[in-house]
């Protein structure tokens, strides 16, 4: 057949598709994911992570899920639901991964936005007041009519519920098994053998009573997966340009939401559409949003003044609202005695982000194993709109640290460069 | 004005609607120049609530009304073309029946099917009427509460004898004979009124495929008689149309009505806005939302395109002449001096009357030719009229008129603009 149903995946090679699976991939809500990147920002300096689409990842999860169903002898009718959940699990991801989602969830903007709850999204027509808005490229979203009476059971799996929910929405599920290795592969931090990790794990893991079960022999594979994950997230969270760009994008989203230029309904836009929309509509009082977007687009990033970590994770909720940050920034500039620049503060709650423990039950003896540990730190970044002098930098750093201490954030530890120090040869070139 | 969240979502909509939204209605009677149901359905969702009155002063075959009804709004349709009115009335009535009880449209179609079937097999219609009198009376009883005018009154406008001699220029003799029998059967006083109306809609809709003029409706409008006559089967055409009608109603997603005692849900008024001494559908209170697309200047001859139906319902050539001369923007008028200006003035004059039926804080949405399509004077004059009456432009977007199905561009208009005003 000339129009063969297959795909070539960077990790898994040839992925064959049934007509049902191909139909799922062609749904407009899935096709939209070709234009939504996996990462929360279009990375400037970790270029391998910048452009990977969620669609590529969706095919990867589909492939792993099919393998898992096959190995575990899942009946075809049930396997269809699990595969559909695998394809649709990222269906409601907004532009730039979770960037918009975090702003909406952390602040009281519009009605509550729940990323993974498809049923919630469906009942409110995907957060659109108008059905016609629930579409991509002129094609209405149609997963529910495609799945018919199976829609609710698929949604349940995506929410992590039921017998098969943990397969798609657990601590180490098929979704993040693929996610980690795929991104790491593109970023260039995997070894050749690492590409097989997702399939090895998919073949070995099972889910019993909501718990992950693996053979003891899989421990080494899990540890390697964790190591890759750790390295990947160090780059993605701790690189200064990533941090700065996220700060800028988050602020643009926050300000756009404050001006009602965007809301929960805006999740349907793709990354490019989102930036274009912000640029076009953020005028007048909201022109700072346009400035941020334009600077992001051409790498005119805010300069980092202080990038640090603190154990005070409990302070995140109070620190991270739009109002709290704006107040902090205003006081910061006054205290540092600096005029003529804009300052941005950005906080990342690193709870099991840079490092994540994996628990599973041993298949042989039922003993629970916990591998690794969850990271637990508050990442604090402060950035300025133009390069400060050394004196200004010092003044800002001191004022910032003091302000954070007043807000319960102490024991700040400067972040190391995740790309390490240059080699002697590179030093010569610099 | 329009809240920010709603505006964002209106901006998100792809107004070309290359793919139809699920559950929207389709037209039951061919009619040139209709807009896709996706447009009114989207505007109705955005700018009105259930039970609000949605008003379309140039209702055509009732697309706006159908989208309002199926989303639990009430609808007022005004239309100068009797054929458009008929189609809107029967389609709207069928959707209201479905909203009441899901099985009623099937019952309705079965009534019509039985009349056709018995005539086709040359058996007596009487037997069918006796056994199904209860069903058609039930249908009339429901719709008496839900539609204005009642089916009995509305039927009076379509009870005139066929002008057979005019139809003989278009339809092969034996075919015409059968059509005449069909029309007589649906004038039988023993058939329920709404069943009669549905039967007449069916007959009207099949006249064009039953005629020997196989080229476009434009040829019918331009009075281009067929060169040869071809025998057609009106019964088969009727059954096909009924199946399609039933399928359309079946696939249209309709919000249920909580009870039959909900008052009038649909007004259909035959009225030309050039007549200023009488107001159409005068028994409804003010409308919350106006959604319409007035006739575009020089584009379509709505009256003459439907000439076969008019002959069937007793209209003479003289009657047709009176109708098209009053038709706003009729294509036939395009070469008259100042035809564009006249059209624009007619629209503005009518607009003032139409806006008088709107509530204090409402919305009015117009689909009009794009400013580059040579008819911008209409938009300008309507803008001025709206502004003078306190309406402000709240939203505007361009869209393409889909060309895929247009075999022949009688209108040559490929772009239009949706204007939404708020008060």
């Amino acid at each position: 057949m000339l129009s063969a149903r297959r795909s070539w995946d960077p990790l898994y090679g040839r992925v064959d598709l049934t007509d049902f699976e191909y139909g799922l991939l062609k749904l407009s809500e899935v096709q939209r994911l070709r234009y939504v990147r996996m990462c929360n920002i279009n990375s400037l300096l970790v270029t391998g992570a910048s452009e990977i689409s969620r669609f590529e990842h969706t095919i990867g999860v589909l492939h792993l899920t099919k393998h898992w169903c096959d190995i575990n002898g899942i009946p075809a009718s049930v396997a269809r639901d699990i595969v559909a959940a695998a394809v649709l699990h990222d269906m409601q991801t907004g532009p730039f991964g979770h960037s918009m989602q975090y702003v909406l969830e952390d602040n009281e903007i519009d009605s509550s936005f729940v990323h993974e709850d498809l049923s919630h999204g469906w009942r409110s027509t995907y957060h659109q007041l108008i059905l016609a808005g629930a579409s991509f490229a002129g094609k209405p979203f149609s997963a529910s009519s495609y799945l018919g009476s199976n829609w609710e059971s698929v949604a349940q799996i995506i929410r992590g519920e039921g017998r098969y929910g943990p397969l798609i929405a657990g601590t180490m599920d098929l979704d993040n098994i693929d996610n980690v290795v795929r991104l790491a592969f593109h970023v260039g931090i995997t070894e050749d053998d690492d590409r097989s990790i997702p399939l090895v794990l998919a073949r070995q893991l099972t889910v019993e009573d909501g718990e992950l079960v693996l053979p003891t022999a899989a421990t080494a594979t899990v540890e390697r997966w964790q190591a890759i994950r750790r390295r990947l997230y160090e780059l993605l969270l701790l690189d200064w340009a990533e941090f700065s760009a996220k700060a800028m994008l988050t602020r643009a989203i926050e300000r756009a939401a404050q001006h009602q230029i965007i809301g929960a309904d805006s999740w349907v836009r793709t990354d490019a559409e989102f930036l274009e929309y912000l640029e076009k509509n953020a005028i007048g009082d909201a022109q700072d949003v346009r400035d941020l977007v334009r600077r992001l687009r051409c790498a005119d990033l805010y300069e980092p003044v202080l990038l640090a970590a603190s154990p005070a994770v409990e302070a995140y909720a109070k620190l991270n609202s739009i109002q709290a940050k704006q107040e902090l920034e205003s006081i910061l500039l006054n205290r540092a005695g600096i005029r003529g620049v804009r300052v941005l503060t950005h906080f990342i709650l690193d709870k099991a982000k840079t490092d994540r423990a994996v628990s599973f039950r041993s298949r042989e003896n039922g003993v629970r194993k916990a591998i690794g540990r969850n990271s637990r730190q508050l990442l604090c970044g402060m950035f300025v709109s133009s390069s400060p002098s050394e004196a200004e930098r010092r003044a800002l750093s001191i004022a910032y640290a003091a302000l954070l201490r007043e807000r319960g954030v102490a024991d700040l530890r400067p972040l190391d460069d995740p790309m390490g120090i240059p080699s002697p040869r590179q030093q010569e070139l610099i | 004005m329009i809240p920010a969240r709603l505006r964002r979502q209106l901006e998100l909509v792809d107004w070309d609607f290359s793919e139809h939204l699920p559950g929207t209605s389709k037209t039951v009677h061919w009619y040139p120049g209709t807009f896709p149901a996706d447009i009114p359905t989207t505007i109705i969702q955005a700018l009105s609530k259930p039970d609000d009155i949605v008003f379309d002063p140039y209702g055509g075959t009732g697309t706006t009304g159908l989208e309002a009804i199926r989303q639990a709004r009430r609808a007022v349709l005004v239309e100068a073309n009797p054929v458009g009115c008929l189609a809107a009335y029967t389609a709207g009535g069928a959707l209201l029946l479905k909203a009441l009880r899901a099985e009623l449209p099937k019952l309705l179609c079965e009534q019509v099917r039985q009349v056709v079937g018995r005539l086709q097999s040359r058996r007596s219609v009487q037997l069918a009427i006796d056994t199904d009198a209860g069903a058609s009376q039930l249908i009339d009883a429901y719709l008496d509460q839900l539609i204005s005018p009642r089916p009995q009154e509305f039927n009076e406008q379509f009870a005139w004898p066929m002008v057979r001699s005019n139809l003989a220029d278009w339809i092969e003799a034996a075919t015409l004979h059968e059509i005449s029998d069909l029309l007589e059967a649906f004038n039988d006083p023993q058939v329920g009124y709404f069943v009669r109306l549905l039967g007449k809609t069916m007959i009207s809709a099949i006249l064009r495929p039953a005629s020997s003029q196989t080229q476009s409706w434009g040829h019918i409008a331009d009075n281009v008689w067929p060169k040869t006559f071809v025998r057609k089967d009106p019964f088969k055409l009727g059954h096909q149309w009924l199946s399609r009608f039933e399928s359309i109603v079946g696939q249209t997603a309709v919000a249920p009505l909580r009870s039959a005692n909900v008052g009038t849900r649909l007004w259909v008024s035959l009225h030309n806005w050039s007549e200023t001494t009488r107001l159409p559908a005068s028994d409804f209170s003010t409308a919350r939302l106006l959604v319409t697309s007035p006739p575009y200047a020089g584009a379509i001859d709505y009256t003459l395109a439907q000439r076969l139906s008019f002959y069937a319902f007793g209209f003479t050539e003289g009657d047709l002449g009176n109708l098209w001369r009053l038709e706003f923007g009729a294509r036939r008028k395009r070469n008259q001096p100042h035809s564009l200006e006249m059209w624009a003035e007619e629209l503005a004059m009518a607009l003032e009357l139409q806006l008088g039926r709107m509530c204090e804080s409402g919305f009015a949405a117009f689909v009009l030719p794009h400013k580059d399509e040579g008819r911008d004077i209409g938009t300008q004059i309507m803008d001025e009229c709206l502004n003078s009456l306190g309406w402000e432009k709240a939203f505007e977007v361009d869209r393409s008129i889909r060309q895929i199905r247009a075999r022949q561009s009688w209108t040559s208009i490929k772009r239009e603009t949706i204007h939404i005003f708020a008060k």
Side-chain angles (χ1 to χ4, degrees):
Chain A
M1 178 165 96
L2 284 179
S3 57
R5 306 312 198 210
R6 82 281 185 272
S7 170
W8 191 270
D9 184 79
L11 288 182
Y12 312 133
R14 182 176 168 122
V15 173
D16 284 295
L17 304 162
T18 63
D19 284 344
F20 171 70
E21 290 155 6
Y22 193 71
L24 281 170
L25 290 176
K26 280 186 64 183
L27 291 170
S28 54
E29 45 269 73
V30 180
Q31 283 301 303
R32 178 185 158 271
L33 297 179
R34 289 168 63 202
Y35 309 93
V36 176
R37 49 177 50 78
M38 280 183 75
C39 288
N40 297 343
I41 195 65
N42 52 339
S43 184
L44 174 66
L45 298 177
V46 186
T47 53
S50 178
E51 305 303 324
I52 317 307
S53 74
R54 290 211 169 243
F55 183 72
E56 182 192 312
H57 162 61
T58 292
I59 294 180
V61 180
L62 163 67
H63 185 63
L64 294 180
T65 305
K66 284 173 59 163
H67 266 275
W68 187 89
C69 289
D70 188 43
I71 297 264
N72 289 277
I74 304 296
S77 57
V78 177
R80 267 168 75 104
D81 282 358
I82 304 174
V83 162
V87 173
L88 296 173
H89 76 282
D90 270 346
M91 197 176 107
Q92 282 199 136
T93 305
F96 294 98
H98 299 290
S99 295
M100 201 180 83
Q101 175 199 339
Y102 290 155
V103 171
L104 295 177
E105 286 176 353
D106 288 350
N107 295 275
E108 286 189 13
I109 293 169
D110 245 324
S111 48
S112 58
F113 177 83
V114 180
H115 165 62
E116 278 108 14
D117 189 347
L118 290 186
S119 291
H120 173 90
W122 173 246
R123 274 196 290 276
S124 61
T125 59
Y126 302 95
H127 299 280
Q128 308 302 311
L129 293 171
I130 309 167
L131 188 62
S135 67
F136 172 69
K139 276 189 71 173
F141 291 162
S142 53
S144 68
S145 60
Y146 188 76
L147 292 171
S149 55
N150 292 59
W151 170 250
E152 190 46 49
S153 60
V154 171
Q156 190 187 47
I157 296 170
I158 293 172
R159 286 195 300 268
E161 295 167 7
R163 186 172 168 192
Y164 302 108
L167 203 59
I168 304 290
T171 49
M172 193 179 86
D173 51 41
L174 296 177
D175 172 16
N176 51 46
I177 287 171
D178 178 89
N179 188 319
V180 163
V181 179
R182 182 171 302 281
L183 269 175
F185 170 76
H186 283 294
V187 164
I189 53 172
T190 55
E191 311 287 341
D192 283 345
D193 289 347
D194 291 336
R195 285 169 53 182
S196 65
I197 288 176
L199 273 169
V200 165
L201 287 174
R203 286 185 189 123
Q204 293 181 329
L205 72 81
T206 51
V207 178
E208 288 168 28
D209 301 321
E211 209 175 353
L212 199 64
V213 176
L214 280 163
T216 308
T219 303
T221 310
V222 172
E223 285 171 343
R224 178 60 191 152
W225 180 83
Q226 273 187 321
I228 293 169
R229 190 185 178 289
R230 190 180 312 119
R231 182 72 188 112
L232 175 69
Y233 278 88
E234 278 171 1
L235 281 170
L236 295 180
L237 286 184
L238 307 182
D239 168 65
W240 76 263
E242 292 281 307
F243 212 141
S244 173
K246 279 174 196 159
M248 294 169 72
L249 179 62
T250 300
R251 185 53 52 89
I253 293 171
E254 287 168 348
R255 294 283 292 147
Q258 278 182 317
H259 287 289
Q260 297 189 306
I261 298 169
I262 61 167
D265 46 278
S266 307
W267 76 267
V268 294
R269 295 190 185 273
T270 63
D271 292 0
E273 285 171 354
F274 187 67
L275 288 185
E276 280 163 22
Y277 182 77
L278 286 181
E279 233 192 292
K280 183 177 164 213
N281 290 282
I283 57 174
D285 285 343
Q287 60 189 279
D288 54 318
V289 175
R290 175 186 273 187
D291 289 343
L292 284 166
V293 168
R294 286 179 168 168
R295 287 185 65 153
L296 267 172
R297 285 189 129 154
C298 35
D300 186 7
L301 299 179
Y302 274 41
E303 186 81 16
V305 173
L306 182 65
L307 300 175
S310 161
V313 296
E314 62 285 343
Y316 175 79
K318 271 202 304 198
L319 281 172
N320 200 51
S321 72
I322 302 168
Q323 290 78 11
K325 286 189 288 190
Q326 288 175 334
E327 187 195 316
L328 179 71
E329 288 152 12
S330 171
I331 299 173
L332 175 58
L333 284 172
N334 277 336
R335 282 214 195 159
I338 293 183
R339 283 194 165 80
V341 293
R342 287 205 167 110
V343 70
L344 267 184
T345 55
H346 188 60
F347 300 98
I348 298 175
L349 182 61
D350 181 8
K351 277 173 82 173
K353 281 196 170 88
T354 49
D355 216 345
R356 180 179 292 186
V358 175
S359 306
F360 63 90
R361 190 150 45 94
S362 164
R363 180 165 294 133
E364 290 85 359
N365 56 25
V367 171
R368 285 191 178 81
K369 288 173 76 73
I371 300 179
R373 59 171 194 86
N374 286 324
S375 55
R376 189 181 159 79
Q377 56 184 355
L378 180 66
L379 303 177
C380 309
M382 189 252 297
F383 310 85
V384 287
S385 53
S386 51
S387 295
S389 66
E390 273 312 307
E392 285 171 335
R393 187 182 287 276
R394 205 169 22 253
L396 281 167
S397 299
I398 292 169
Y400 184 54
L403 279 166
L404 287 180
R405 263 196 309 279
E406 289 164 23
R407 285 156 175 75
V409 179
D411 301 322
L412 282 173
R413 168 182 56 81
L415 297 178
D416 293 328
D417 186 346
M419 295 192 197
I421 55 172
S423 67
R425 176 73 184 126
Q426 284 173 324
Q427 283 277 29
E428 284 170 26
L429 291 172
I430 298 167
Chain B
M1 290 303 264
I2 295 179
R5 182 180 179 199
L6 200 45
R7 168 181 298 286
R8 283 200 304 268
Q9 294 181 38
L10 288 172
E11 287 168 352
L12 207 53
V13 173
D14 179 348
W15 292 92
D16 286 354
F17 294 112
S18 49
E19 223 175 89
H20 289 303
L21 297 172
T24 48
S25 61
K26 291 185 172 51
T27 184
V28 302
H29 189 297
W30 71 269
Y31 204 82
T34 53
F35 56 15
D38 317 284
I39 296 179
T41 213
T42 298
I43 295 172
I44 288 167
Q45 274 176 21
L47 301 176
S48 71
K49 297 184 308 298
D51 293 328
D52 278 349
I53 291 180
V54 179
F55 173 34
D56 187 349
Y58 302 99
T61 52
T63 308
T64 299
L66 300 183
E67 292 305 307
I69 287 168
R70 76 174 193 83
Q71 297 183 92
R73 277 66 167 171
R74 294 178 287 166
V76 175
L77 299 174
V78 177
E79 171 53 46
N81 186 309
V83 174
C85 274
L86 176 63
Y89 192 94
T90 50
L95 289 193
L96 282 170
L97 289 173
K98 182 174 179 179
L100 264 183
R101 280 165 51 182
E103 71 276 14
L104 284 176
K106 191 175 163 68
L107 186 67
L108 167 69
C109 291
E110 207 34 58
Q111 301 289 294
V112 176
R113 209 168 261 126
Q114 287 193 12
V115 172
V116 176
R118 289 191 186 278
L119 195 61
Q120 188 175 9
S121 62
R122 297 287 180 256
R123 283 156 69 186
S124 164
V125 173
Q126 181 67 38
L127 184 62
I129 301 308
D130 283 346
T131 53
D132 298 318
S136 64
Q137 277 172 9
L138 180 69
I139 286 168
D140 281 345
Y142 279 139
L143 292 177
D144 280 349
Q145 309 298 318
L146 296 172
I147 305 189
S148 174
R150 298 158 52 228
Q152 179 176 358
E153 291 164 41
F154 193 76
N155 185 64
E156 287 164 10
Q157 298 172 80
F158 299 94
W160 302 103
M162 176 193 281
V163 182
R164 196 160 172 154
S165 55
N166 286 355
L167 278 172
D169 293 326
W170 298 88
I171 299 176
E172 185 273 337
T175 310
L176 181 57
H177 185 75
E178 284 174 344
I179 289 172
S180 178
D181 286 347
L182 268 173
L183 196 51
E184 205 176 305
F186 285 105
N187 272 325
D188 189 324
Q190 300 201 58
V191 177
Y193 293 107
F194 194 73
V195 172
R196 289 189 231 176
L197 286 166
L198 185 58
K200 289 172 187 176
T201 308
M202 175 192 75
I203 292 165
S204 175
I206 68 171
L207 281 172
R208 194 177 129 210
S211 82
S212 297
Q213 175 50 273
T214 55
Q215 298 195 68
S216 74
W217 58 263
H219 287 78
I220 296 177
D222 287 349
N223 216 16
V224 179
W225 291 348
K227 292 189 171 57
T228 54
F229 286 93
V230 180
R231 176 78 166 102
K232 303 285 179 80
D233 183 350
F235 297 109
K236 181 177 169 188
L237 290 171
H239 281 300
Q240 284 172 345
W241 182 90
L242 264 176
S243 294
R244 185 168 170 270
F245 179 88
E246 203 171 347
S247 169
I248 286 172
V249 175
Q251 288 175 15
T252 303
V254 179
L257 275 174
R258 281 180 288 278
S259 77
N261 301 323
V262 293
T264 307
R265 305 294 296 181
L266 171 65
W267 290 260
V268 178
S269 184
L270 178 64
H271 176 78
N272 188 300
W273 289 101
S274 60
E275 190 196 337
T276 54
T277 55
R278 178 180 71 86
L279 284 179
S282 51
D283 62 332
F284 84 90
S285 59
T286 51
R288 165 87 173 145
L289 171 65
L290 185 155
V291 182
T292 198
S293 182
Y296 294 177
I300 296 174
D301 283 318
Y302 287 96
T303 303
L304 297 174
Q306 302 288 348
R307 70 166 74 235
L308 302 184
S309 299
F310 283 122
Y311 296 151
F313 295 133
F315 287 74
T316 64
E317 289 292 351
D319 294 328
L320 254 62
N322 292 338
L323 277 176
W324 80 251
R325 271 186 281 276
L326 289 176
E327 188 183 311
F328 290 1
R331 185 166 180 272
R332 189 151 288 220
K333 296 179 182 175
R334 69 193 185 283
N335 294 321
Q336 290 174 2
H338 310 298
S339 62
L340 269 181
E341 287 81 5
M342 263 185 53
W343 165 75
E345 280 167 23
E346 284 169 337
L347 288 187
M349 178 268 309
L351 180 59
E352 206 167 324
L353 295 171
Q354 292 153 10
L355 292 175
R357 311 309 301 275
M358 301 296 296
C359 68
E360 270 308 304
S361 61
F363 294 98
F366 303 91
V367 184
L368 293 166
H370 186 271
K371 60 180 168 52
D372 296 337
E373 295 284 0
R375 294 161 175 85
D376 200 41
I377 184 173
T379 307
Q380 285 170 21
I381 287 192
M382 286 179 73
D383 267 359
E384 281 167 20
C385 178
L386 282 150
N387 289 334
S388 72
L389 293 170
W391 292 79
E392 284 178 30
K393 177 79 67 82
F395 179 78
E396 184 178 310
V397 66
D398 295 334
R399 67 177 298 271
S400 301
I401 297 175
R402 302 270 302 154
Q403 299 295 302
I404 286 175
R405 287 205 192 88
R407 284 178 299 165
Q408 182 174 1
S409 178
W410 285 94
T411 70
S412 77
I413 300 173
K414 294 183 171 53
R415 287 170 299 175
E416 52 194 11
T417 304
I418 299 172
H419 307 259
I420 299 180
F421 292 80
K423 191 161 186 195

